Amino acid sequence: MENMGYCTIGKMAAACLIFQLFIGCQDMEDPYQTWEIYKGDATSSSYSSLTQINRENVDQLEVAWMFRAGDILEDYFPSTGIETNPIVVDDVLYAISAYIKVYALDAATGEEIWMFDPFEGRRGVDRQRGVVYWEDGDEKRILFSAASGLYALDAETGELITDFGEQGRVDLNAGLGRDPETVRVMAPTPGIIFEDLLIMGSATGENIEAPPGDIRAYDVRTGEIAWTFHTIPREGEPGFETWENMDEESLNKRGGANNWAGMSLDRERGMVFVPLGSPVYDFYGGNRPGKNLYGNALLVLDAGTGEHIWHYQTVHHDIWDYDLPAPPNLLTVEKDGESIDVAAQITKQGFTFVFERETGEPVFPVEERPVPQSDIEETWPTQPFPVKPEPYAHQYFTRDLVTDISPEAQDYVLRRLEEHRNEGLYTPHAPEGAIRLPGTTGAGRWGGAAHDPQSGILYVNASEFPQISLVERIDRDTSPDESPNEKGRFYYAQNCATCHGMDKGGQPPLYPSLVNVKETRSKAEVLTVIEEGRGMMPAFLNISEEEKDAVIAYLFDEGKNTADEEPSEGIARVNGEGRYAVSPRNSFQDQDGYPAIKPPWGTLNAIDLNTGEYKWRVPLGTYPELTEKGIPPTGTWSMGGPVATAGGLVFIAGTLDKKFRAFDKDTGELIWETTLPAAGFATPATYESDGKQYVVIAAGGGRGTEPGDYYIAFSLPD
């Protein structure tokens, strides 16, 4: 409600006016009292104006209800989990399980109303972070994606709406200018509704020939594409000139620059804010010289037509997988006595870019600074650095940041630190290994930030996990004597080494080791995973049968020639083809497996966007075994994001220790916590049903931790 204290009319008139305004306000919808949209509302605030649960009584919270989807099986894959931020409409909570079943639950009791399984009894794959709700009169729909399908359901019954697409389903692989049979796109984060349009992004994979990340708006009633924006510009479109030497043939091999992180919407202005990821291949760009628009850009489009309004590229020619990981927060701040509508975009690097919403002009200065250059390709000489706010994570692994949890750990890390190239943020990959801080998982992640629209404070969780990226020239002998094993090593390096490493060692349990895969899996099982994907691994649809057979020969140590036993002579052996393979996800840890950097390894931060200064910063998460040794809370890697409330709280889960916590939003003091049955790698939601406020979290584990299939709602006792 607007402040009425500036009224200067007479007492009787003022009283009458205040009464009329009060009555009128009863009918005005408060956008922050409901949770009908992913992350709370179209501005991605993750904020609630509900106050029943507040800093004075939060310590009385108890479990109100618990729902279990029954998804946990004996052959559970360690990276599967629930990352859904549920929505609540008319006292019904809509959620998605680990195996991508959609549920409608009674928001006050957690009792199941209906369930829809797009996989019809088969185990679903990938992750889904939420659903979309749309209504027009008596017509109410739930829209969501599963694998490469976009579905429309009747919100009251859960039945497919058969006049949407083909019998209720739209093929997301279609309409990209590629053969739908050769591509696979998904949409792990829900799109956003503008009038009768559902605006959608996609996840496209990270291999060299992944499809483009076009932004598409679908007619909510029919499923037909209403407009498309090419995030990799075609000839004659603005931005095409930022891809050097690109012709029609090479355009068809360009992919990525996709929106997997979700969007925000300025409904009044009709502007949709679309954060984009990197072009593929994510870690090597020798085949795509130039700035590569619109990769790694915050792209702003006319929501009704898809026309370009403005953009800002946060990384030029990305080779570090520094995707924009979350939708921007749309809010109003006060700067130099002026109210400014802004878009605040967090990044994996720990930056917070703050832009004037209508023009894209930075609110705080941004400097283009020289950065280290690659020895293996032409990288961009400068990158943008916001002057304010300061990064919410470290970006240069200096000696003073080496872990101090024990003398042994410190000595171990110091020795390793000197072995690798280490020149701060944007250090390029190197054969001797390059230090990456933040790593590929990023300081900021898909949970994004919460903002308080009343104060202009941004709340964001951050992780500090350094990595070492290795690059290797993979040369291929294409002579007639080339063996299936040699071919397999080349294709493995091209498609698999990014996650599993050139040595096949992986990063267990998130990226499993393949060293002894022939002892644990059959060839048929491996082929199924290659073709269909599993957990975090996408399906590889654009590789030939010969390439699949060669990869399996390499993994199962078969199909060798005698010459294969001899050490490679590098470039001298090249007879036809050579490429660089990057293994970027090698965690930099101490001898006991803890992060090599000095704690805290995870934090929760409060940033005043009016000034660009920090209000507070506290560790987020603990390792109980270290606490028992007397080590102060270290923080842990975290997923999901925070929720702020008018009750003075910031709720957040997401840590490895399976805790769900509430902090005082003004001071950062921890004032409540509980232990979940599985880690809550999701963003919570808070809502009111039957006059009672609830806060709900998905506890699905995964990401290498113990699995779960829970939704748990908390409330105050009656």
Side-chain angles (χ1 to χ4, degrees):
M1 186 186 300
E2 292 183 356
N3 190 325
M4 296 181 290
Y6 296 104
C7 209
T8 56
I9 58 179
K11 290 182 179 179
M12 291 182 62
C16 181
L17 177 62
I18 290 171
F19 177 76
Q20 290 176 341
L21 286 172
F22 176 77
I23 295 299
C25 286
Q26 303 305 299
D27 298 326
M28 292 172 61
E29 183 179 354
D30 180 349
Y32 303 114
Q33 286 212 336
T34 61
W35 207 276
E36 297 184 354
I37 300 175
Y38 178 73
K39 283 180 61 64
D41 58 80
T43 71
S44 297
S45 71
S46 290
Y47 174 83
S48 173
S49 58
L50 298 176
T51 59
Q52 187 179 100
I53 300 172
N54 54 59
R55 57 167 64 92
E56 281 74 36
N57 61 24
V58 67
D59 61 347
Q60 301 174 39
L61 282 182
E62 59 185 24
V63 174
W65 57 259
M66 180 185 299
F67 173 79
R68 298 196 67 177
D71 279 351
I72 303 307
L73 305 175
E74 291 182 1
D75 61 343
Y76 170 83
F77 191 74
S79 66
T80 304
I82 309 175
E83 297 180 349
T84 300
N85 174 233
I87 64 170
V88 179
V89 183
D90 296 333
D91 296 318
V92 178
L93 182 144
Y94 298 95
I96 300 180
S97 75
Y99 293 162
I100 324 299
K101 300 172 186 174
V102 181
Y103 287 88
L105 308 177
D106 184 305
T109 66
E111 294 180 2
E112 181 179 325
I113 300 171
W114 55 255
M115 182 273 288
F116 177 79
D117 181 3
F119 296 97
E120 300 179 341
R122 294 177 293 110
R123 181 167 63 179
V125 295
D126 312 314
R127 290 183 176 79
Q128 292 302 324
R129 296 181 179 127
V131 302
V132 173
Y133 176 80
W134 172 87
E135 70 173 44
D136 183 16
D138 293 333
E139 191 172 5
K140 302 176 181 180
R141 297 187 176 189
I142 291 293
L143 300 109
F144 76 101
S145 62
S148 294
L150 172 63
Y151 296 82
L153 306 177
D154 184 303
E156 295 183 346
T157 67
E159 296 178 354
L160 277 170
I161 297 175
T162 55
D163 57 0
F164 178 85
E166 294 187 10
Q167 297 299 307
R169 180 185 184 275
V170 168
D171 184 1
L172 293 174
N173 296 326
L176 293 170
R178 306 273 181 93
D179 180 353
E181 297 297 323
T182 65
V183 299
R184 181 176 187 246
V185 301
M186 303 168 289
T189 307
I192 201 159
I193 293 285
F194 177 72
E195 297 178 349
D196 291 340
L197 298 177
L198 172 61
I199 307 172
M200 293 285 293
S202 61
T204 61
E206 299 180 350
N207 54 313
I208 290 175
E209 296 180 354
D214 293 352
I215 308 303
R216 295 173 286 183
Y218 293 87
D219 186 299
V220 173
R221 291 184 170 85
T222 67
E224 295 179 356
I225 296 177
W227 58 255
T228 297
F229 183 89
H230 300 130
T231 61
I232 299 177
R234 300 182 180 181
E235 190 167 5
E237 295 177 343
F240 180 82
E241 71 282 356
T242 67
W243 298 75
E244 298 177 17
N245 307 321
M246 186 160 71
D247 54 23
E248 191 66 28
E249 181 179 353
S250 61
L251 174 63
N252 290 329
K253 295 182 179 179
R254 299 288 181 264
N258 54 305
N259 169 255
W260 57 264
M263 309 174 189
S264 301
L265 177 70
D266 184 328
R267 204 179 301 279
E268 182 178 339
R269 293 181 173 94
M271 300 167 67
V272 62
F273 292 73
V274 186
L276 295 175
S278 60
V280 297
Y281 168 53
D282 292 38
F283 303 103
Y284 175 68
N287 62 336
R288 50 175 173 86
K291 276 191 173 181
N292 302 153
L293 285 175
Y294 291 91
N296 308 84
L298 178 57
L299 175 67
V300 184
L301 304 175
D302 183 302
T305 66
E307 294 180 1
H308 175 277
I309 298 176
W310 62 262
H311 72 272
Y312 194 98
Q313 190 176 45
T314 59
V315 182
H316 313 313
H317 188 87
D318 184 16
I319 60 169
W320 302 274
D321 194 29
Y322 282 151
D323 299 346
L324 289 178
N329 294 72
L330 308 184
L331 67 157
T332 301
V333 301
E334 297 287 329
K335 190 171 187 291
D336 300 327
E338 180 183 1
S339 293
I340 306 173
D341 290 344
V342 302
Q345 178 67 63
I346 68 159
T347 74
K348 284 187 178 181
Q349 304 97 292
F351 289 133
T352 306
F353 286 88
V354 186
F355 304 107
E356 292 189 13
R357 206 182 302 173
E358 287 192 343
T359 66
E361 289 296 315
V363 173
F364 301 107
V366 178
E367 298 175 352
E368 285 283 338
R369 299 176 185 172
V371 294
Q373 295 299 287
S374 172
D375 295 328
I376 64 172
E377 66 167 292
E378 184 178 350
T379 45
W380 204 257
T382 62
Q383 296 291 351
F385 287 75
V387 174
K388 274 190 172 184
E390 292 184 358
Y392 48 83
H394 291 100
Q395 298 176 330
Y396 196 168
F397 197 170
T398 52
R399 291 177 63 89
D400 62 304
L401 290 180
V402 168
T403 180
D404 58 0
I405 64 171
S406 73
E408 295 79 12
Q410 190 170 63
D411 290 344
Y412 178 88
V413 171
L414 279 170
R415 288 194 303 271
R416 293 195 63 196
L417 186 64
E418 303 303 324
E419 298 172 357
H420 308 294
R421 185 172 179 180
N422 182 22
E423 301 172 53
L425 189 63
Y426 303 119
T427 298
H429 315 295
E432 69 273 23
I435 304 296
R436 301 193 60 205
L437 185 65
T440 58
T441 55
R445 290 294 286 154
W446 53 263
H451 73 255
D452 186 331
Q454 308 304 318
S455 66
I457 307 298
L458 193 77
Y459 302 93
V460 58
N461 53 309
S463 300
E464 304 234 25
F465 277 64
Q467 291 175 316
I468 299 170
S469 65
L470 301 168
V471 63
E472 183 176 342
R473 171 84 184 207
I474 303 301
D475 299 313
R476 182 178 175 196
D477 179 6
T478 58
S479 71
D481 295 331
E482 182 184 33
S483 71
N485 194 278
E486 284 182 301
K487 291 179 184 178
R489 182 174 184 271
F490 179 79
Y491 295 132
Y492 173 90
Q494 179 176 313
N495 295 292
C496 313
T498 297
C499 296
H500 297 287
M502 282 304 300
D503 62 357
K504 309 180 195 175
Q507 292 282 318
L510 202 55
Y511 305 106
S513 170
L514 302 178
V515 172
N516 296 312
V517 69
K518 63 182 179 181
E519 298 176 8
T520 60
R521 293 286 187 269
S522 69
K523 293 179 184 178
E525 288 175 316
V526 173
L527 182 61
T528 298
V529 173
I530 291 173
E531 293 179 337
E532 298 181 4
R534 178 74 63 83
M536 295 181 66
M537 178 175 165
F540 286 82
L541 301 181
N542 59 344
I543 63 175
S544 67
E545 295 299 321
E546 178 191 25
E547 291 169 338
K548 295 175 193 175
D549 291 342
V551 169
I552 289 176
Y554 177 64
L555 292 176
F556 282 77
D557 201 30
E558 297 176 348
K560 289 184 176 182
N561 291 337
T562 304
D564 294 349
E565 306 296 339
E566 300 173 0
S568 171
E569 297 178 7
I571 295 174
R573 280 197 72 200
V574 175
N575 190 33
E577 192 171 4
R579 289 183 180 174
Y580 288 97
V582 182
S583 178
R585 297 188 171 115
N586 304 284
S587 297
F588 191 6
Q589 301 172 330
D590 68 16
Q591 75 284 0
D592 294 321
Y594 297 108
I597 196 171
K598 184 184 297 184
W601 301 321
T603 59
L604 182 62
N605 304 267
I607 308 172
D608 187 341
L609 292 184
N610 304 286
T611 63
E613 303 293 338
Y614 283 70
K615 286 196 65 178
W616 48 260
R617 183 174 190 254
V618 296
L620 179 63
T622 62
Y623 286 90
E625 68 274 17
L626 296 180
T627 302
E628 291 176 1
K629 295 179 180 180
I631 296 173
T634 60
T636 77
W637 175 86
S638 65
M639 298 294 284
V643 164
T645 77
L649 301 169
V650 177
F651 285 102
I652 189 166
T655 50
L656 295 174
D657 56 16
K658 301 194 292 188
K659 298 289 188 181
F660 187 28
R661 296 177 167 91
F663 294 83
D664 186 307
K665 74 175 184 180
D666 292 333
T667 66
E669 178 188 358
L670 176 63
I671 51 180
W672 174 80
E673 67 177 17
T674 189
T675 302
L676 301 171
F681 295 145
T683 300
T686 187
Y687 60 92
E688 187 177 79
S689 182
D690 293 337
K692 176 174 282 193
Q693 184 182 355
Y694 298 82
V695 58
V696 62
I697 184 70
R703 299 282 180 176
T705 69
E706 180 183 355
D709 61 349
Y710 305 84
Y711 280 89
I712 305 173
F714 297 85
S715 66
L716 297 172
D718 293 329

